[in-house]
Amino acid sequence: MKIKYLGTAAAEGIPALFCHCPICEYARTHRGKEIRTRAQAVIDEEILLDFGPDTYMHCLQEGLDLAGIGLCLVTHTHGDHFGIDDIRMRCRSFAVYEEEIPPLIVCGSSEAEAVFAREENRDITEDGRVVFRKLPPYEEYRYKEYSITPLPAFHGTTEPFFYLVRKGHRALLYAHDTDIFYEEVWEYLQRLGIVLQLVSLDCTEGRRKMDYSGHMNLERNFAVRERMLRMGIADDATVFAASHISHNGQLCHFQALDSKIHRGFVVAWDGMELEI
C-alpha cells in the first residue's frame, strides 16, 4: 500500500489565514514544505481519507483524478474534514463523463449520515453518482482488496472515527483528530493479533504542552508508540508519522528534521508519500 499526504495541517492551515505568529510568518517567507493545507490523504489512488475544503487544490497540486476514486472515508464532520458542498460537484449537473463511472461511496458514522439526510443535501445521492454508507464501529467493511475498520476516536463530535486499513498482510492506522485511544480500542487492536506497518497520528499541538483532550502532541504520540511496541501491535519496522499539525504547535518543518524533536517519527508534509 502507498499513502500520499495531500494536506497535513489542522483546521487553520499553515500559514493560518489571519495569523502573524512566528510559525505562520516563517511559512509565508520560506514556503515549500512549510506550507500546510488541511489534512487529507489518499491510499493507492483508490481510497480518499476525508473530503475537506482544500480537496480541489489537492487535485490540482498532485494531479489527482478525483473521478477515478471510488471510496471516501470520513473521519468526522468538522469543516476542515468534510466539505459536502464539494462532494455535490460529482452530481450530473456539475460533472460530465464520456462514459458513466461507478459511484463515489462515502463512508462514515451516524453523524455523517445525518448531514446527508438534511433536506438541503438529499439531492447529492439522488442521481446515483454518490452513495453514502454508514459504518458501525469495529465492523469490517470490504472494498475491492481492502479491509477497512472504523474505530471510535477520542474527539469532540457525535461519533468520530479513525480507520484501520488492511490489504493482504499490510496494515495502516490513520488516526487523526483523536486523543490517545480509548481502552476498548487498544483491546480490539490487541485481539486482532496484527502488526501495523504504518501508524499516522494526530499531532495538532506539535511541541506545545497540552491541557485539553481530543487531540495529541508529540509527547502523546511518543506514548502511543511506546504502548504499541509493548503490546506487539507495532515493531521496530513500523513507520510512525505525525500529521494534522497546527501553527499553534510551534513546529516548523525545518525544526521537525531535528531528531531530538521528532525522536524517530516521520513528520509529514504536503505531498509526502510512504509505501508499506
Side-chain angles (χ1 to χ4, degrees), residues 181-201:
F181 313 151
Y182 292 114
E183 283 301 315
E184 64 182 37
V185 173
W186 286 110
E187 293 166 4
Y188 173 81
L189 290 171
Q190 189 162 49
R191 285 198 304 273
L192 282 180
I194 62 171
V195 177
L196 297 164
Q197 281 71 53
L198 171 65
V199 180
S200 186
L201 295 178

Side-chain angles (χ1 to χ4, degrees), residues 80-99:
D80 56 321
H81 291 263
F82 187 52
I84 195 163
D85 285 338
D86 278 352
I87 294 175
R88 181 178 277 107
M89 296 301 108
R90 194 179 175 96
C91 296
R92 294 180 192 277
S93 55
F94 298 106
V96 177
Y97 309 121
E98 291 183 2
E99 296 181 3

